[in-house]
């Protein structure tokens, strides 16, 4: 069995930065330290942080004072205002690429563009972006939904930073005829594009693809879905324990990649497990 | 035999306006009256104008004084400057939709966008647009050529007003990943879109499609090519004389459309000819 591991698997710049900031905070002032929602979409990484004293609160109202860390996906204007009013100490771990998308959303809104966000309406990143431009915002994640929208005079388009480039392109193409002007900021981050491209390359070469990452992680779900289109034998798992030996039996080549929020220790465990399953045969 | 004639066949607003302006000029001051290049891309219409006294000169230097009419496709900055310097009387029959495309090109250029024009590099409309923004302009008419371009920081995209919407969309989609910002002004005119859509609808319903218009007319060529993709039996003719009875034999349903520069009298002649060929059988 040959195992092809993606070089781009695991933590992206923004996630690594958020984890470092949280660890540093735990070291400096571990008392009353909370993140607003999970810092990143990986239960194991969140558990690791909890052991360092970083607790999760879902609502800003439930943070009992002290320090609040804003998650990598960003924070809504409403929560930001509340945190300031309550004079919480703020550590902003919002990914700089997400901040950039927020800036473009505000810019487009300010300049009179109707805003279309290519992304998942219920993802915290998209919810946060929307909160800064409350009116005339539409969120779509499929060409079918996009086709039902418009027409517009001036349309601004951005993407959730971890969207699939393919879907983003298709959606822009589908609305192109329905607006006199379209201004597109491609806010899909480079790390996402590179990760998706490498996953596609590997998926084409293997008999089964293993994608590691939180079941609640949007970018991992999309990574698995992109791989599945090419290689129907694609397994999305969160940890090594969920590897099903039967599914990997008799596979000459196996591919391995992981979402942006998957810690390296989990990827390494999965890698070892795949290799050891193969030796047991 | 059933004949389906497109409602949108023939003169668009811009061509009709240019023809009216030329006729009016011939009535008022027929001496030394010239167009710079053919007023519209239809030899029969140009011949008709010549009989009224409107002569064609290919170069501004060859206009011997008097009045010059700028063609529907627009005039280059260089020719405009020369015409003014020589104090020619100017009648500007540039299509307002073409002027709009020129304005957007200048706007994008002024705001620091690299400019991509979807169109034919040697079409007078595109040549005129380019002349106002001499640097950093790229012209493409196929997805294959577009794929070889970029990357850009800021890309502005416009189209020749009579381009095919389908190709325009594909080209924008193909460059989307190669620029951080893309600003698209859909300058394809409404008349073109409507005409192409109706042609597609009719082509789907018939056994042969007849497209009437100048062989030198870009929009007629594209109309024929769009129809041919759907209905391989598509005949592009300039006048009724070129109709080949053999090609229309045994066709239950025939479709008829015409380019934006095709005069109604030619369309009517073709229509009569198709009907009479059928009666002769």
């Amino acid at each position: 069995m040959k195992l092809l591991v993606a070089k781009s698997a695991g933590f992206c710049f923004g996630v690594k930065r958020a984890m470092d900031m949280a660890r540093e905070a735990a070291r400096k002032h571990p008392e009353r330290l909370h993140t607003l929602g999970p810092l990143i979409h990986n239960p194991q990484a969140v558990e690791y942080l909890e052991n360092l004293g970083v607790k999760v609160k879902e609502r800003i109202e439930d943070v009992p004072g002290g320090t609040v860390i804003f998650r990598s996906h960003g924070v809504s204007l409403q929560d930001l205002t509340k945190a300031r009013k309550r004079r919480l100490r703020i550590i902003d771990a919002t990914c700089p690429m997400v901040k950039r998308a927020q800036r473009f959303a505000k810019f487009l809104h300010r300049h009179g563009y109707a805003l279309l966000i290519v992304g998942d309406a219920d993802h915290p990143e998209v919810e946060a972006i929307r909160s800064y431009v409350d009116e005339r915002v539409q969120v779509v994640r499929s060409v079918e939904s996009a086709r039902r929208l418009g027409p517009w005079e001036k349309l601004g388009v951005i993407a959730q930073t971890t969207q699939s480039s393919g879907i983003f392109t298709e959606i822009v193409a589908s609305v192109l005829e329905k607006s006199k002007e379209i201004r597109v900021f491609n806010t899909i981050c480079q790390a996402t594009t590179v990760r998706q491209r490498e996953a596609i390359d590997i998926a084409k070469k293997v008999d089964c693809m293993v994608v590691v990452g939180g079941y609640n992680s949007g970018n991992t779900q999309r990574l698995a879905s992109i791989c599945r289109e090419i290689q129907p034998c694609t397994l999305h798992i969160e940890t090594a324990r969920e590897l099903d030996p039967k599914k990997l039996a008799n596979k000459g080549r196996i591919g391995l990649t992981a979402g942006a929020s998957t810690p390296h220790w989990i990827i390494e465990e999965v890698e070892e497990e795949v290799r050891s399953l193969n030796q047991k045969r």
Side-chain angles (χ1 to χ4, degrees), chain A:
Chain A
M1 185 273 307
K2 196 169 160 71
L3 182 63
L4 301 176
V5 183
K7 284 194 198 78
S8 57
F11 278 9
C12 63
F13 161 76
V15 166
K16 190 174 176 312
R17 177 175 169 276
M19 284 295 283
D20 288 347
M21 288 171 87
R23 265 193 298 250
E24 177 73 5
R27 201 177 56 81
K28 281 194 181 159
H29 32 78
E31 321 77 30
R32 295 202 302 172
L33 179 57
H34 293 87
T35 62
L36 184 58
L39 184 75
I40 63 175
H41 275 147
N42 187 275
Q44 292 74 34
V46 170
E47 198 186 323
Y48 161 86
L49 288 175
E50 288 208 333
N51 291 331
L52 299 182
V54 188
K55 310 284 182 229
V56 180
K57 290 289 180 195
E58 288 301 331
R59 295 162 4 112
I60 193 84
E61 289 80 359
D62 299 334
V63 177
T67 304
V68 63
I69 306 177
F70 292 152
R71 46 162 52 180
S72 56
H73 317 98
V75 66
S76 72
L77 180 60
Q78 293 73 23
D79 284 342
L80 176 64
T81 311
K82 283 180 196 165
R84 281 181 178 158
K85 257 195 193 152
R86 292 188 48 208
R87 299 180 181 277
L88 297 173
R89 181 209 304 260
I90 292 172
I91 295 175
D92 187 358
T94 305
C95 168
M97 297 296 112
V98 172
K99 284 250 165 160
R100 184 173 163 265
Q102 289 175 356
R103 274 200 307 276
F104 285 137
K106 281 185 259 188
F107 172 89
L108 288 166
H109 181 62
R110 205 167 54 236
H111 286 80
Y113 293 84
L115 185 66
L116 184 67
I117 304 174
V118 177
D120 297 326
D122 55 357
H123 191 282
E125 179 187 328
V126 175
E127 284 174 346
I129 293 174
R130 286 186 87 149
S131 74
Y132 294 92
V133 283
D134 47 356
E135 310 151 71
R136 294 193 303 160
V137 179
Q138 289 172 304
V139 183
V140 279
R141 62 171 182 185
S142 75
V143 179
E144 293 68 41
S145 322
R147 286 222 178 89
R148 284 193 287 271
L149 303 178
W152 306 271
E153 275 293 310
K154 291 171 70 177
L155 178 67
V157 189
I158 61 166
Q160 189 180 343
T161 57
T162 57
Q163 263 303 312
S164 136
S165 293
I167 290 173
F168 180 62
T169 302
E170 280 183 52
I171 287 177
V172 171
S174 75
V175 296
L176 211 54
E177 261 192 60
K178 292 195 277 187
S179 188
K180 291 191 185 150
E181 180 191 348
I182 296 194
R183 197 159 178 182
V184 184
F185 290 100
N186 188 346
T187 52
I188 297 176
C189 77
Q190 192 60 15
T192 298
T193 308
V194 168
R195 186 190 314 274
Q196 289 174 355
R197 276 201 201 131
E198 198 187 3
I200 289 169
D201 283 349
I202 295 181
K204 283 177 183 165
K205 293 176 191 158
V206 297
D207 306 305
C208 195
M209 194 72 195
V210 178
V211 181
V212 191
Y215 294 132
N216 61 344
S217 156
N219 86 81
T220 310
Q221 289 166 15
R222 273 186 293 280
L223 201 56
S225 135
I226 288 169
C227 290
R228 199 166 287 122
E229 275 183 32
I230 296 162
Q231 175 48 264
C233 176
T234 289
L235 315 177
H236 176 183
I237 58 171
E238 214 168 67
T239 66
R241 257 174 305 161
E242 291 126 39
L243 262 184
D244 182 348
K246 275 176 283 177
K247 289 196 176 148
L248 293 184
N250 306 319
K251 303 291 182 191
R253 281 164 166 256
I254 292 170
L256 178 62
T257 187
S261 44
T262 313
H264 65 92
W265 76 81
I266 296 185
I267 303 174
E268 283 162 14
E269 275 173 15
V270 172
E271 197 177 332
E272 278 169 34
E273 184 67 16
V274 173
R275 291 193 195 282
S276 91
L277 282 175
N278 188 58
Q279 281 159 2
K280 283 178 200 154
R281 268 175 225 153

